[in-house]
Amino acid sequence: MRPISLTLKGFRGIRDGLGRDVIELDFERLAGDAQLIAIVGKNGRGKTTVMDNMTPFPTMPSRAGADGLGGFSYYDQVCLPESIKDLVWEHGGERYRSQMVFRLNGKKKTEAFLHIRRGDSWQPMRLGDGTVSDGKVDTYVQCVEQILGSPETFFTSVFAVQGRRQLSAYKNAEIKTLLADLLGLDEIRALGAKALETAKLLKAGLAAVRQERAGLKAEVEQVVRELAQLGNTGGRIAAAENAKAAGQAALDRAKEELARHAAKRDVAVQTEARRTQVSEERRSVIEAAKGALHALDAQDRREGERLEQLTRRISQRAEDERKRRKGLDEQRARWEATLKIGDAIQWASRRVGRAQSVVTKREERVVGLRRGAERLEKLRADSKLARERIAAIEREAGQASLRAQELTRRFGLTVEVPCAGTDLQGHCKLLSDARAAQSLKPSADAQIARLQEAQANAAHELRDIEAQGRDLTAVPAKLNEAEASLKRSRERLARVSPWAARQGELAQAREMLAEIVRQIESLPPHEGEENADERAERGAIVATRHAIAAQREGEAKRQRDSLQHLDAAIAALPPPFDVSQIERAQRGVEQAQRALVATEAAYVKALRDQQAGEELQRRKATIGERLAALDTRTRRIEDQVSVWLLFAKCMSNDGLIALSIDDSGPTLSRLANDLLLACYGPRFTVSLKTLVETAKGEAREGFDIVVHDAESGEAKSVTQTSAGERVWINEALTRAIALYLTQNSGRHYETLFSDEADGPLDPERKRMFMAMKREVLRIGDYAQEFFVSQTPELAAMADAVIDLEAFRNEPQADSSKLP
């Protein structure tokens, strides 16, 4: 696999590091035929982002973790609504193009396409089984893995992820899975998986058989419990037959007793008919007497209601007369009181006209005085305005006087200026100013004269106003006195007006008082006394109620006589038949029948239990035969499970795969030691161990890298070496795996990748590290290696350098031209 060109659009690492949304890298132009190509730039320039996207696998291994195989999402690494990764690469003599589109606008969506070059066009990749790269991520991954193999092998042997785990940190299962993939032991692992699956299926079938056996065992136990519950069915049948015979005899006796009581009941039927007839006559007599008494009671109630109505009418009439007398007395008292104040009303009627005329005159006086007071207030306001105007004129006159004095002073300078009468007088500003003052002085004098005249006019106007105000000085006091007099007159008018208004009541009082006296005299002298009609009505009601009482007594006597005669006839009859005897006899028959039915049911149940017991015995024998067959089948399946589990163990990482890895261990160790010898000298050699010793001194399956130090003569695990030593020993082993993969698996990658793997090395070891890279390229027949390093000396030792600083702040590519 060799990258040809790479275009990234919308990746955060490129935007943050280079300040651009799109970067295009043509590796054929930038690297040419160089073997070691360094990708350099300052921290954060996007070197790792470029390196991670130089493979067609849909991941960025340095971001994914777990040595590039952990969980990863491109959406965390892109920033545009539509981001693109476009990689052109070669492998096995074919040229491929990987295109991945990541959309963030609305629903997140990823499209992945793999095309192969056919002539001058790109065609979708199609596998032998018919799988086509149609834009789905799943089909894209299948196509890439079919071409390049598993990502686990690729990122372990070819691509050195930044911060990846060293081989010494791999667990036993992980390293064996990796080496099995390198050795092409997938078929053995597949056979082991099939064997294990077969064992699982056999275990599932065994569980079903055991479950079936458990069900049959539970069924046998249930049959035994049911047989125990049935007990001695023969004895139960004999006892049921005896109980059935006894029940039949008891039923016959109960039926005979019922027949005797039925005969007695037939004899008593005629007696009961006569008893019923007499009882019916007695009831009729009682009902008739009740009806007659009820009618008499209703008539008596009606007469009582008439008497109550009469009493209420008399009481209501007496109450009406009392109320009328009381109302007339009150009216009489009220009119008599009006006549008593007649003199006062007459006096008020004579005074009200005079009081009204006084109020009118005083109101007119108050109106005149108010107009005088308003005139006085206006004069005072005019006086204030005149004084303010005089003060303003005096201020303006003072300013005009000062201005006239200033002009006089300036004009006097015309005779004092030295240049007067000389050739310089036309150019002297002081002389010009003095002459200008001469022209302004007449206007200043005129202004002073005008202001003096205005002041005299304002003073004359003020004297006229003050003269008019002196004539109105007493008006406010007179107004107050007139308003007080008006108030007293209005109060006096208010007191006599109500009395004068009652003048008409006097004549009305005299007329109404005579009428009231006449009505009082027409009232009856005694309240509540009955008249003749009322006395006659009361007598009739009392007589009727006495007659009703006599009729009630006669009806009660006739009822008593009839009832005594009928009771004597009933007493002469024989006593009635006791029906409870028949009921008791019937209950005895029913109980005997139920007892007989119960004994018959017990007999039938005993017969059925006997038959069920025989059926349970046959069923128990059948289940026993099935259990014996299941036990035989279970033993056979258990034997097969053991065989397949043993076969799966042999085909697993701890079986043939472990033996194959043991066989490949010397080859891997030799390749790693050749690299160490060529680059670092003969000090260190390594060996691989697939059996490790436990704390008890026992050997178990495992994995360890043993480092032999020629200087100290010691052999120790790589985990006990220094950090720098572990780096280049791990790098030697990793590159040895890549070489082994090229030599034995038939899958050859032309390009290696490593991202800042030289961090812990000292300067001397860094140079040796570069020498090992060239040795790996030579031995493995690799075309090139791309590596990222922060060490300038290593970058200088590279055959070509891709400096990302050169791509910073360059004009962005036109994204519309991207495929």
Side-chain angles (χ1 to χ4, degrees), residues 163-197:
R164 67 172 177 173
R165 289 184 301 167
Q166 297 180 355
L167 292 177
S168 60
Y170 277 60
K171 296 180 181 179
N172 180 36
E174 293 177 326
I175 193 65
K176 286 185 177 180
T177 301
L178 173 64
L179 294 177
D181 184 67
L182 294 176
L183 297 173
L185 303 178
D186 293 337
E187 293 183 0
I188 296 177
R189 185 187 293 111
L191 287 175
K194 291 180 180 179
L196 187 61
E197 183 65 23

mmCIF file of all heavy atoms in Angstrom, residues 163-197:
data_model
loop_
_atom_site.group_PDB
_atom_site.id
_atom_site.type_symbol
_atom_site.label_atom_id
_atom_site.label_comp_id
_atom_site.label_asym_id
_atom_site.label_seq_id
_atom_site.Cartn_x
_atom_site.Cartn_y
_atom_site.Cartn_z
ATOM 1 N N GLY A 163 1.890 7.240 20.514
ATOM 2 C CA GLY A 163 1.491 6.827 21.854
ATOM 3 C C GLY A 163 0.949 5.411 21.915
ATOM 4 O O GLY A 163 0.231 5.063 22.856
ATOM 5 N N ARG A 164 1.267 4.547 20.909
ATOM 6 C CA ARG A 164 0.730 3.192 20.916
ATOM 7 C C ARG A 164 1.394 2.355 22.008
ATOM 8 O O ARG A 164 2.485 2.658 22.507
ATOM 9 C CB ARG A 164 0.943 2.532 19.564
ATOM 10 C CG ARG A 164 2.406 2.274 19.258
ATOM 11 C CD ARG A 164 2.564 1.457 17.999
ATOM 12 N NE ARG A 164 3.970 1.255 17.667
ATOM 13 C CZ ARG A 164 4.380 0.461 16.690
ATOM 14 N NH1 ARG A 164 3.496 -0.187 15.951
ATOM 15 N NH2 ARG A 164 5.668 0.315 16.431
ATOM 16 N N ARG A 165 0.712 1.271 22.353
ATOM 17 C CA ARG A 165 1.275 0.350 23.345
ATOM 18 C C ARG A 165 2.455 -0.417 22.743
ATOM 19 O O ARG A 165 2.476 -0.717 21.558
ATOM 20 C CB ARG A 165 0.222 -0.655 23.801
ATOM 21 C CG ARG A 165 -0.873 -0.099 24.650
ATOM 22 C CD ARG A 165 -1.783 -1.229 25.113
ATOM 23 N NE ARG A 165 -2.358 -1.928 23.960
ATOM 24 C CZ ARG A 165 -2.986 -3.110 24.046
ATOM 25 N NH1 ARG A 165 -3.099 -3.712 25.224
ATOM 26 N NH2 ARG A 165 -3.490 -3.682 22.970
ATOM 27 N N GLN A 166 3.391 -0.723 23.607
ATOM 28 C CA GLN A 166 4.502 -1.564 23.181
ATOM 29 C C GLN A 166 4.069 -3.026 23.226
ATOM 30 O O GLN A 166 3.126 -3.400 23.923
ATOM 31 C CB GLN A 166 5.712 -1.322 24.074
ATOM 32 C CG GLN A 166 6.232 0.115 23.978
ATOM 33 C CD GLN A 166 7.422 0.352 24.869
ATOM 34 O OE1 GLN A 166 7.821 -0.519 25.627
ATOM 35 N NE2 GLN A 166 8.011 1.537 24.760
ATOM 36 N N LEU A 167 4.769 -3.871 22.476
ATOM 37 C CA LEU A 167 4.389 -5.282 22.411
ATOM 38 C C LEU A 167 4.439 -5.948 23.775
ATOM 39 O O LEU A 167 3.672 -6.875 24.057
ATOM 40 C CB LEU A 167 5.312 -6.023 21.433
ATOM 41 C CG LEU A 167 5.152 -5.646 19.953
ATOM 42 C CD1 LEU A 167 6.172 -6.407 19.114
ATOM 43 C CD2 LEU A 167 3.745 -5.953 19.474
ATOM 44 N N SER A 168 5.307 -5.453 24.634
ATOM 45 C CA SER A 168 5.406 -6.051 25.967
ATOM 46 C C SER A 168 4.155 -5.799 26.801
ATOM 47 O O SER A 168 3.917 -6.496 27.786
ATOM 48 C CB SER A 168 6.637 -5.486 26.690
ATOM 49 O OG SER A 168 6.514 -4.061 26.811
ATOM 50 N N ALA A 169 3.351 -4.809 26.406
ATOM 51 C CA ALA A 169 2.135 -4.499 27.152
ATOM 52 C C ALA A 169 0.940 -5.291 26.659
ATOM 53 O O ALA A 169 -0.142 -5.202 27.243
ATOM 54 C CB ALA A 169 1.826 -2.999 27.060
ATOM 55 N N TYR A 170 1.114 -6.046 25.552
ATOM 56 C CA TYR A 170 0.001 -6.829 25.023
ATOM 57 C C TYR A 170 -0.300 -7.989 25.957
ATOM 58 O O TYR A 170 0.610 -8.591 26.554
ATOM 59 C CB TYR A 170 0.343 -7.371 23.634
ATOM 60 C CG TYR A 170 0.101 -6.390 22.514
ATOM 61 C CD1 TYR A 170 0.759 -5.172 22.464
ATOM 62 C CD2 TYR A 170 -0.793 -6.678 21.508
ATOM 63 C CE1 TYR A 170 0.537 -4.266 21.447
ATOM 64 C CE2 TYR A 170 -1.031 -5.781 20.468
ATOM 65 C CZ TYR A 170 -0.362 -4.587 20.449
ATOM 66 O OH TYR A 170 -0.586 -3.699 19.442
ATOM 67 N N LYS A 171 -1.586 -8.326 26.066
ATOM 68 C CA LYS A 171 -1.968 -9.501 26.830
ATOM 69 C C LYS A 171 -1.721 -10.754 26.002
ATOM 70 O O LYS A 171 -1.525 -10.700 24.786
ATOM 71 C CB LYS A 171 -3.445 -9.406 27.223
ATOM 72 C CG LYS A 171 -3.752 -8.244 28.160
ATOM 73 C CD LYS A 171 -5.225 -8.208 28.511
ATOM 74 C CE LYS A 171 -5.520 -7.026 29.437
ATOM 75 N NZ LYS A 171 -6.958 -6.945 29.773
ATOM 76 N N ASN A 172 -1.759 -11.893 26.676
ATOM 77 C CA ASN A 172 -1.453 -13.158 26.021
ATOM 78 C C ASN A 172 -2.375 -13.398 24.826
ATOM 79 O O ASN A 172 -1.925 -13.727 23.731
ATOM 80 C CB ASN A 172 -1.576 -14.293 27.038
ATOM 81 C CG ASN A 172 -1.273 -15.648 26.418
ATOM 82 O OD1 ASN A 172 -0.408 -15.766 25.567
ATOM 83 N ND2 ASN A 172 -2.014 -16.669 26.837
ATOM 84 N N ALA A 173 -3.684 -13.217 25.045
ATOM 85 C CA ALA A 173 -4.640 -13.479 23.957
ATOM 86 C C ALA A 173 -4.437 -12.501 22.809
ATOM 87 O O ALA A 173 -4.545 -12.880 21.634
ATOM 88 C CB ALA A 173 -6.077 -13.392 24.489
ATOM 89 N N GLU A 174 -4.126 -11.232 23.125
ATOM 90 C CA GLU A 174 -3.944 -10.234 22.073
ATOM 91 C C GLU A 174 -2.733 -10.551 21.203
ATOM 92 O O GLU A 174 -2.810 -10.498 19.963
ATOM 93 C CB GLU A 174 -3.790 -8.845 22.703
ATOM 94 C CG GLU A 174 -5.044 -8.339 23.381
ATOM 95 C CD GLU A 174 -4.823 -6.995 24.048
ATOM 96 O OE1 GLU A 174 -3.701 -6.759 24.559
ATOM 97 O OE2 GLU A 174 -5.757 -6.195 24.056
ATOM 98 N N ILE A 175 -1.615 -10.862 21.812
ATOM 99 C CA ILE A 175 -0.402 -11.103 21.021
ATOM 100 C C ILE A 175 -0.522 -12.388 20.207
ATOM 101 O O ILE A 175 -0.070 -12.468 19.061
ATOM 102 C CB ILE A 175 0.855 -11.136 21.938
ATOM 103 C CG1 ILE A 175 2.121 -11.057 21.097
ATOM 104 C CG2 ILE A 175 0.839 -12.368 22.816
ATOM 105 C CD1 ILE A 175 2.263 -9.750 20.357
ATOM 106 N N LYS A 176 -1.200 -13.389 20.788
ATOM 107 C CA LYS A 176 -1.362 -14.639 20.037
ATOM 108 C C LYS A 176 -2.323 -14.447 18.871
ATOM 109 O O LYS A 176 -2.121 -15.025 17.803
ATOM 110 C CB LYS A 176 -1.859 -15.740 20.972
ATOM 111 C CG LYS A 176 -0.774 -16.242 21.915
ATOM 112 C CD LYS A 176 -1.241 -17.417 22.739
ATOM 113 C CE LYS A 176 -0.114 -17.946 23.629
ATOM 114 N NZ LYS A 176 -0.535 -19.098 24.458
ATOM 115 N N THR A 177 -3.374 -13.652 19.075
ATOM 116 C CA THR A 177 -4.283 -13.365 17.963
ATOM 117 C C THR A 177 -3.553 -12.631 16.846
ATOM 118 O O THR A 177 -3.722 -12.920 15.654
ATOM 119 C CB THR A 177 -5.474 -12.530 18.452
ATOM 120 O OG1 THR A 177 -6.164 -13.255 19.463
ATOM 121 C CG2 THR A 177 -6.432 -12.213 17.328
ATOM 122 N N LEU A 178 -2.701 -11.675 17.238
ATOM 123 C CA LEU A 178 -1.930 -10.921 16.248
ATOM 124 C C LEU A 178 -0.964 -11.834 15.492
ATOM 125 O O LEU A 178 -0.907 -11.820 14.251
ATOM 126 C CB LEU A 178 -1.165 -9.794 16.942
ATOM 127 C CG LEU A 178 -0.187 -9.007 16.071
ATOM 128 C CD1 LEU A 178 -0.931 -8.273 14.969
ATOM 129 C CD2 LEU A 178 0.618 -8.034 16.930
ATOM 130 N N LEU A 179 -0.205 -12.669 16.220
ATOM 131 C CA LEU A 179 0.775 -13.543 15.566
ATOM 132 C C LEU A 179 0.075 -14.608 14.725
ATOM 133 O O LEU A 179 0.587 -15.006 13.670
ATOM 134 C CB LEU A 179 1.666 -14.191 16.623
ATOM 135 C CG LEU A 179 2.579 -13.214 17.391
ATOM 136 C CD1 LEU A 179 3.355 -13.950 18.470
ATOM 137 C CD2 LEU A 179 3.532 -12.502 16.438
ATOM 138 N N ALA A 180 -1.096 -15.046 15.169
ATOM 139 C CA ALA A 180 -1.844 -16.024 14.358
ATOM 140 C C ALA A 180 -2.259 -15.414 13.034
ATOM 141 O O ALA A 180 -2.226 -16.075 11.989
ATOM 142 C CB ALA A 180 -3.065 -16.508 15.134
ATOM 143 N N ASP A 181 -2.651 -14.149 13.078
ATOM 144 C CA ASP A 181 -3.008 -13.473 11.831
ATOM 145 C C ASP A 181 -1.777 -13.318 10.939
ATOM 146 O O ASP A 181 -1.851 -13.464 9.715
ATOM 147 C CB ASP A 181 -3.621 -12.107 12.138
ATOM 148 C CG ASP A 181 -4.107 -11.413 10.884
ATOM 149 O OD1 ASP A 181 -5.064 -11.904 10.264
ATOM 150 O OD2 ASP A 181 -3.523 -10.371 10.527
ATOM 151 N N LEU A 182 -0.620 -13.011 11.545
ATOM 152 C CA LEU A 182 0.623 -12.883 10.770
ATOM 153 C C LEU A 182 1.024 -14.209 10.133
ATOM 154 O O LEU A 182 1.522 -14.247 9.012
ATOM 155 C CB LEU A 182 1.739 -12.367 11.667
ATOM 156 C CG LEU A 182 1.586 -10.934 12.212
ATOM 157 C CD1 LEU A 182 2.725 -10.621 13.163
ATOM 158 C CD2 LEU A 182 1.551 -9.934 11.082
ATOM 159 N N LEU A 183 0.824 -15.318 10.851
ATOM 160 C CA LEU A 183 1.247 -16.635 10.378
ATOM 161 C C LEU A 183 0.222 -17.273 9.458
ATOM 162 O O LEU A 183 0.450 -18.381 8.961
ATOM 163 C CB LEU A 183 1.511 -17.554 11.578
ATOM 164 C CG LEU A 183 2.651 -17.120 12.510
ATOM 165 C CD1 LEU A 183 2.701 -18.014 13.738
ATOM 166 C CD2 LEU A 183 3.982 -17.157 11.773
ATOM 167 N N GLY A 184 -0.915 -16.627 9.258
ATOM 168 C CA GLY A 184 -1.946 -17.194 8.378
ATOM 169 C C GLY A 184 -2.619 -18.390 8.996
ATOM 170 O O GLY A 184 -2.912 -19.374 8.300
ATOM 171 N N LEU A 185 -2.846 -18.361 10.297
ATOM 172 C CA LEU A 185 -3.473 -19.481 11.003
ATOM 173 C C LEU A 185 -4.964 -19.277 11.169
ATOM 174 O O LEU A 185 -5.575 -19.822 12.087
ATOM 175 C CB LEU A 185 -2.807 -19.647 12.377
ATOM 176 C CG LEU A 185 -1.289 -19.867 12.358
ATOM 177 C CD1 LEU A 185 -0.752 -19.973 13.769
ATOM 178 C CD2 LEU A 185 -0.945 -21.127 11.569
ATOM 179 N N ASP A 186 -5.554 -18.517 10.270
ATOM 180 C CA ASP A 186 -6.990 -18.256 10.390
ATOM 181 C C ASP A 186 -7.807 -19.524 10.226
ATOM 182 O O ASP A 186 -8.854 -19.691 10.865
ATOM 183 C CB ASP A 186 -7.420 -17.227 9.340
ATOM 184 C CG ASP A 186 -6.809 -15.867 9.609
ATOM 185 O OD1 ASP A 186 -6.445 -15.622 10.767
ATOM 186 O OD2 ASP A 186 -6.691 -15.061 8.659
ATOM 187 N N GLU A 187 -7.330 -20.462 9.358
ATOM 188 C CA GLU A 187 -8.102 -21.686 9.160
ATOM 189 C C GLU A 187 -8.131 -22.521 10.426
ATOM 190 O O GLU A 187 -9.160 -23.109 10.769
ATOM 191 C CB GLU A 187 -7.492 -22.488 8.012
ATOM 192 C CG GLU A 187 -7.617 -21.803 6.641
ATOM 193 C CD GLU A 187 -7.061 -22.652 5.534
ATOM 194 O OE1 GLU A 187 -6.588 -23.772 5.832
ATOM 195 O OE2 GLU A 187 -7.095 -22.207 4.371
ATOM 196 N N ILE A 188 -6.965 -22.574 11.126
ATOM 197 C CA ILE A 188 -6.941 -23.333 12.382
ATOM 198 C C ILE A 188 -7.884 -22.693 13.398
ATOM 199 O O ILE A 188 -8.657 -23.381 14.071
ATOM 200 C CB ILE A 188 -5.501 -23.402 12.924
ATOM 201 C CG1 ILE A 188 -4.603 -24.178 11.956
ATOM 202 C CG2 ILE A 188 -5.480 -24.017 14.314
ATOM 203 C CD1 ILE A 188 -3.149 -24.234 12.373
ATOM 204 N N ARG A 189 -7.824 -21.353 13.488
ATOM 205 C CA ARG A 189 -8.711 -20.668 14.426
ATOM 206 C C ARG A 189 -10.171 -20.889 14.030
ATOM 207 O O ARG A 189 -11.051 -21.056 14.886
ATOM 208 C CB ARG A 189 -8.406 -19.176 14.473
ATOM 209 C CG ARG A 189 -9.236 -18.461 15.526
ATOM 210 C CD ARG A 189 -9.084 -16.965 15.480
ATOM 211 N NE ARG A 189 -7.747 -16.528 15.856
ATOM 212 C CZ ARG A 189 -6.863 -15.996 15.016
ATOM 213 N NH1 ARG A 189 -7.184 -15.817 13.748
ATOM 214 N NH2 ARG A 189 -5.676 -15.618 15.441
ATOM 215 N N ALA A 190 -10.456 -20.900 12.716
ATOM 216 C CA ALA A 190 -11.824 -21.136 12.262
ATOM 217 C C ALA A 190 -12.291 -22.544 12.644
ATOM 218 O O ALA A 190 -13.431 -22.738 13.075
ATOM 219 C CB ALA A 190 -11.906 -20.930 10.748
ATOM 220 N N LEU A 191 -11.370 -23.541 12.479
ATOM 221 C CA LEU A 191 -11.743 -24.904 12.883
ATOM 222 C C LEU A 191 -12.017 -24.959 14.387
ATOM 223 O O LEU A 191 -12.956 -25.616 14.848
ATOM 224 C CB LEU A 191 -10.617 -25.882 12.509
ATOM 225 C CG LEU A 191 -10.471 -26.195 11.010
ATOM 226 C CD1 LEU A 191 -9.251 -27.081 10.781
ATOM 227 C CD2 LEU A 191 -11.725 -26.883 10.485
ATOM 228 N N GLY A 192 -11.174 -24.256 15.169
ATOM 229 C CA GLY A 192 -11.398 -24.233 16.612
ATOM 230 C C GLY A 192 -12.730 -23.575 16.951
ATOM 231 O O GLY A 192 -13.451 -24.032 17.848
ATOM 232 N N ALA A 193 -13.038 -22.481 16.222
ATOM 233 C CA ALA A 193 -14.308 -21.811 16.488
ATOM 234 C C ALA A 193 -15.482 -22.709 16.136
ATOM 235 O O ALA A 193 -16.483 -22.769 16.860
ATOM 236 C CB ALA A 193 -14.375 -20.508 15.687
ATOM 237 N N LYS A 194 -15.361 -23.449 14.986
ATOM 238 C CA LYS A 194 -16.429 -24.376 14.616
ATOM 239 C C LYS A 194 -16.575 -25.494 15.643
ATOM 240 O O LYS A 194 -17.688 -25.897 15.993
ATOM 241 C CB LYS A 194 -16.149 -24.946 13.237
ATOM 242 C CG LYS A 194 -16.285 -23.944 12.109
ATOM 243 C CD LYS A 194 -15.983 -24.593 10.761
ATOM 244 C CE LYS A 194 -16.120 -23.579 9.623
ATOM 245 N NZ LYS A 194 -15.808 -24.194 8.300
ATOM 246 N N ALA A 195 -15.429 -25.997 16.112
ATOM 247 C CA ALA A 195 -15.498 -27.045 17.124
ATOM 248 C C ALA A 195 -16.144 -26.527 18.402
ATOM 249 O O ALA A 195 -16.966 -27.211 19.028
ATOM 250 C CB ALA A 195 -14.089 -27.580 17.415
ATOM 251 N N LEU A 196 -15.759 -25.325 18.775
ATOM 252 C CA LEU A 196 -16.354 -24.737 19.976
ATOM 253 C C LEU A 196 -17.855 -24.505 19.783
ATOM 254 O O LEU A 196 -18.651 -24.738 20.697
ATOM 255 C CB LEU A 196 -15.659 -23.417 20.300
ATOM 256 C CG LEU A 196 -16.059 -22.746 21.620
ATOM 257 C CD1 LEU A 196 -15.739 -23.655 22.795
ATOM 258 C CD2 LEU A 196 -15.334 -21.420 21.779
ATOM 259 N N GLU A 197 -18.224 -24.079 18.573
ATOM 260 C CA GLU A 197 -19.646 -23.876 18.291
ATOM 261 C C GLU A 197 -20.389 -25.216 18.342
ATOM 262 O O GLU A 197 -21.506 -25.308 18.855
ATOM 263 C CB GLU A 197 -19.803 -23.223 16.923
ATOM 264 C CG GLU A 197 -21.241 -22.904 16.549
ATOM 265 C CD GLU A 197 -21.846 -21.862 17.458
ATOM 266 O OE1 GLU A 197 -21.077 -21.092 18.075
ATOM 267 O OE2 GLU A 197 -23.088 -21.817 17.559
#
